[in-house]
Amino acid sequence: MTLMYCRYGIITRRVTKCLIFLWLYLITRTTPLPLPKWNSRYDPPVHPLHAQYKDEIDDAEDIFTQILKYNKGSTMKLYHGDIAMNRGLSATQCTDCLWTKSADEAVNVPYRLSSDYTDDEKSLITRALQDFTTLTCVHFVERSTEANYLDIGSGSGCWSYIGKVGGGQFVSVMKNGCVSRGIIQHEIQHALGFYHEQSRRDRDAHVDVMWQYIAADDWGNFEKIDTDNLGLVYDYASVMHYGRYSFSNTTGQPSLVPKPEPSVDIGQRYGLSQLDVYKINKMYNCKLCSFLLTGTSGSLDSKNYTSEYSSASSCLWLIRVNNNKAVLQFDALDVQPSAGCSSDYITVYDGASTMSPVLLDRACGNQALPLLVASGNVMLVEMVSDRAFTATTDFKATYSSANCGGTYNYDNGTIFSPGYPNLYPNLVDCISTIWAPAGHQIVLNFTAFELEFSSSCLYDYLIIKDGSRSSSPLLGKFCWDMSIPGLISTGNVLLVQFHSDSWVNKPGYKATYYFVKSS
Ligand SMILES: *[C@@H]1O[C@H](CO)[C@@H](O)[C@H](O)[C@H]1NC(C)=O
Ligand SMILES: *[C@@H]1O[C@H](CO)[C@@H](O)[C@H](O)[C@H]1NC(C)=O
Ligand SMILES: *[C@@H]1O[C@H](CO)[C@@H](O)[C@H](O)[C@H]1NC(C)=O
Ligand SMILES: *[C@@H]1O[C@H](CO)[C@@H](O)[C@H](O)[C@H]1NC(C)=O
Ligand SMILES: [Zn+2]
């Protein structure tokens, strides 16, 4: 009630009173931060929702540093930090060690997961293997009776043999440490026949080894191997690359320095790189058009990717962002139309495989598509053509990420702020698309609404757009305890954006929507 004085910014003698109430209001803000620290509004963002996706996003240490940490006490004799010796042969010989290709061009690699793993661990390992299956012709299949297979279990540390060694070969993915996507994909790549990137014979052109910071006993970990580089460029971003400080015996001094540009990132934290995928497809001679896109945002123009795959009949783009939700906006779509989009089409999956739920089902022609928000940080775009790709099979899109939100393409749903009815977290940006079938409109009614106080919606706010682009007309920007009228879309898409800043948490909002036939 008292805040009503400030609500309309009346410049009268009430101003003093208003300022007092404002001050009282500010000191009772639910945050423990002391008042004078105005600058804390600009503290670097800490996303509270990140924690739940620990396995999917950056960790504090690069992958190889983690591997070395867990291998410290390993009872296994390991080369180059995590490579097991190949039954009396040299650890660095991979003759005839590739997995065999079957008649259908797929390289099936049978695997078995130890029963020591919990269901969550099993699911995480399976998802790490799924990336190979989606993006390469190496397909991991559960072992039935095959003689040669990967026996994945919780051994002493994180390690693998190089390539296929025959029989049930152990891949050690120790519980409480090694069960993360990056480490699993690293060890699996060894099992497919790959060495560490900086042991390539041409590595001296790309990194300097700082021998003076490496104990003589560890020099062997930096030997070069006569690898086949498959004509591919050196990959600083490979999941197979050591970190900058791997095996350094002097705190703060690197063992590897990229050149000519020393600041180039090495020792990444997320898993397979685009070139790792390429390398596997080259090594196994996979005739596949597939790409991996990572980071926080980027763009994809199918023309740039498909030019060298003009004879392919399908291409896949796996998008994995370092945030909770992957977001995709098509800027242009130009796909040969056909009845029911049966010949050429684009499908977007809500997950990492073509078996995942569908977000966009068979789109073709030349249409504007709504913004798509995945339920997790991964999205898969598939482009299919019954002929070879031509100028009329094309799209342009940009991807980005959000902390929360979703795609609501079913009737009679409910949308709410993260955590509702509990207080929403600080520093979140949510994006939701409500998407009705063509020829329908959306009716949206709020049943609860309470955000941070601000008469001009500067801090925490909700934006609703009549369409699905940031350029779509604004239906309203709402905050505080404004009463929001029932809203009706003009077309069949509404965009709902929620933003919270680094201060003050409130219960947020809840709204129900339903679809109606356009009149
Ligand atoms: C690190 O290794 C180098 C080369 O083997 C050696 O000269 C140096 O003394 C070592 N430094 C420390 C702190 O052990
Ligand atoms: C695609 O290629 C065009 C021209 O070759 C270039 O301007 C554009 O930036 C490229 N887009 C991407 C996403 O690489
Ligand atoms: C949505 O709700 C309306 C009214 O309650 C009902 O008539 C309609 O059948 C519902 N639609 C679906 C798909 O449940
Ligand atoms: C929802 O909003 C529409 C559009 O303003 C309105 O006609 C309808 O009565 C509202 N429904 C409820 C349950 O408030
Ligand atoms: Zn390794």
Side-chain angles (χ1 to χ4, degrees):
M1 265 311 281
T2 47
L3 286 171
M4 288 299 285
Y5 282 113
C6 308
R7 192 159 187 175
Y8 301 107
I10 305 161
I11 307 169
T12 62
R13 59 198 148 153
R14 286 190 194 157
V15 160
T16 324
K17 218 168 187 177
C18 165
L19 288 175
I20 290 167
F21 283 124
L22 193 58
W23 175 76
L24 277 173
Y25 171 76
L26 285 171
I27 59 171
T28 54
R29 285 170 73 132
T30 51
T31 159
L33 288 176
L35 247 191
K37 279 191 70 188
W38 286 102
N39 278 339
S40 59
R41 182 169 286 283
Y42 303 104
D43 280 350
V46 177
H47 293 290
L49 295 179
H50 272 180
Q52 23 185 124
Y53 294 90
K54 195 84 175 81
D55 68 292
E56 300 285 8
I57 57 158
D58 287 7
D59 262 311
E61 289 170 323
D62 66 80
I63 288 164
F64 194 72
T65 299
Q66 294 180 45
I67 290 175
L68 286 185
K69 189 166 79 187
Y70 300 120
N71 286 356
K72 252 205 178 99
S74 179
T75 50
M76 203 52 200
K77 181 157 175 52
L78 298 171
Y79 295 81
H80 299 188
D82 70 333
I83 299 176
M85 186 153 121
N86 192 346
R87 307 250 164 98
L89 299 170
S90 159
T92 56
Q93 294 279 311
C94 178
T95 33
D96 202 21
C97 82
L98 294 191
W99 295 80
T100 33
K101 210 166 199 173
S102 52
D104 67 354
E105 291 285 303
V107 177
N108 288 324
V109 179
Y111 73 95
R112 197 187 77 94
L113 286 186
S114 161
S115 55
D116 293 346
Y117 293 119
T118 63
D119 286 348
D120 282 353
E121 288 165 336
K122 281 182 183 161
S123 140
L124 203 153
I125 297 171
T126 314
R127 276 183 285 141
L129 297 178
Q130 178 64 53
D131 286 355
F132 295 90
T133 306
T134 299
L135 294 167
T136 76
C137 66
V138 176
H139 294 175
F140 289 91
V141 293
E142 277 183 61
R143 179 202 180 224
S144 52
T145 57
E146 293 91 342
N148 301 325
Y149 63 97
L150 298 181
D151 185 12
I152 303 173
S154 181
S156 173
C158 335
W159 52 261
S160 172
Y161 294 94
I162 295 283
K164 184 182 77 183
V165 298
Q169 78 187 67
F170 199 63
V171 178
S172 180
V173 178
M174 186 173 70
K175 284 161 77 83
N176 305 316
C178 309
V179 188
S180 76
R181 190 183 57 241
I183 294 179
I184 296 161
Q185 293 185 338
H186 179 112
E187 300 310 335
I188 292 296
Q189 234 181 294
H190 280 317
L192 294 180
F194 291 89
Y195 297 94
H196 293 136
E197 188 70 1
Q198 79 292 324
S199 49
R200 276 168 65 136
R201 58 169 187 259
D202 64 345
R203 68 104 188 280
D204 292 329
H206 306 284
V207 287
D208 278 324
V209 179
M210 312 304 277
W211 301 103
Q212 67 272 36
Y213 303 125
I214 303 166
D217 280 354
D218 281 329
W219 286 357
N221 295 316
F222 291 83
E223 78 184 307
K224 285 186 273 183
I225 295 171
D226 199 16
T227 51
D228 179 0
N229 298 326
L230 309 160
L232 294 175
V233 299
Y234 191 86
D235 184 13
Y236 294 104
S238 173
V239 73
M240 304 308 280
H241 207 295
Y242 282 1
R244 196 174 290 270
Y245 301 97
S246 298
F247 299 104
S248 167
N249 68 353
T250 311
T251 308
Q253 293 297 344
S255 54
L256 285 172
V257 177
K259 67 184 183 187
E261 185 41 72
S263 65
V264 165
D265 272 341
I266 52 172
Q268 49 103 325
R269 292 133 205 259
Y270 52 84
L272 287 173
S273 71
Q274 165 74 66
L275 274 173
D276 287 330
V277 170
Y278 238 91
K279 263 193 291 188
I280 298 167
N281 281 333
K282 267 247 158 137
M283 179 108 117
Y284 282 93
N285 200 17
C286 307
K287 309 253 183 310
L288 226 72
C289 174
S290 67
F291 310 94
L292 176 63
L293 303 165
T294 55
T296 43
S297 63
S299 60
L300 55 160
D301 179 335
S302 62
K303 275 211 179 85
N304 298 30
Y305 291 95
T306 51
S307 50
E308 58 180 298
Y309 291 93
S310 53
S311 64
S313 60
S314 84
C315 280
L316 289 168
W317 289 264
L318 181 64
I319 297 167
R320 170 171 280 125
V321 297
N322 327 329
N323 203 338
N324 289 350
K325 309 258 178 184
V327 175
L328 186 70
Q329 173 80 71
F330 283 92
D331 302 315
L333 180 76
D334 186 7
V335 174
Q336 184 86 47
S338 59
C341 298
S342 54
S343 59
D344 294 16
Y345 58 88
I346 287 175
T347 294
V348 180
Y349 300 90
D350 190 9
S353 103
T354 51
M355 256 100 89
S356 305
V358 169
L359 267 180
L360 172 71
D361 195 12
R362 288 189 179 227
C364 66
N366 197 328
Q367 51 173 307
L369 292 169
L371 185 88
L372 300 174
V373 183
S375 61
N377 69 334
V378 191
M379 207 182 252
L380 183 68
V381 181
E382 181 186 36
M383 181 163 97
V384 175
S385 174
D386 66 351
R387 292 166 292 274
F389 289 128
T390 61
T392 55
T393 315
D394 199 23
F395 70 87
K396 275 193 188 125
T398 48
Y399 66 93
S400 57
S401 68
N403 305 108
C404 36
T407 304
Y408 297 82
N409 51 8
Y410 47 88
D411 199 1
N412 287 359
T414 306
I415 58 166
F416 34 81
S417 46
Y420 188 87
N422 299 316
L423 305 185
Y424 55 74
N426 285 325
L427 289 166
V428 290
D429 277 292
C430 306
I431 307 178
S432 296
T433 296
I434 307 177
W435 181 19
H440 288 73
Q441 287 167 285
I442 301 154
V443 181
L444 184 65
N445 300 91
F446 281 81
T447 54
F449 191 80
E450 187 189 356
L451 309 191
E452 173 182 7
F453 161 73
S454 161
S455 55
S456 49
C457 298
L458 276 179
Y459 306 138
D460 299 349
Y461 52 80
L462 183 74
I463 287 177
I464 300 176
K465 289 198 168 145
D466 193 9
S468 87
R469 300 172 169 267
S470 35
S471 56
S472 300
L474 190 66
L475 273 182
K477 182 171 184 180
F478 307 103
C479 60
W480 195 9
D481 60 353
M482 289 178 178
S483 76
I484 306 178
L487 301 169
I488 304 179
S489 66
T490 311
N492 62 334
V493 189
L494 276 181
L495 187 68
V496 180
Q497 290 171 283
F498 171 69
H499 170 83
S500 73
D501 70 356
S502 58
W503 272 17
V504 183
N505 317 92
K506 295 283 178 182
Y509 65 87
K510 183 176 175 193
T512 57
Y513 69 81
Y514 55 90
F515 301 157
V516 291
K517 278 233 160 63
S518 304
S519 36

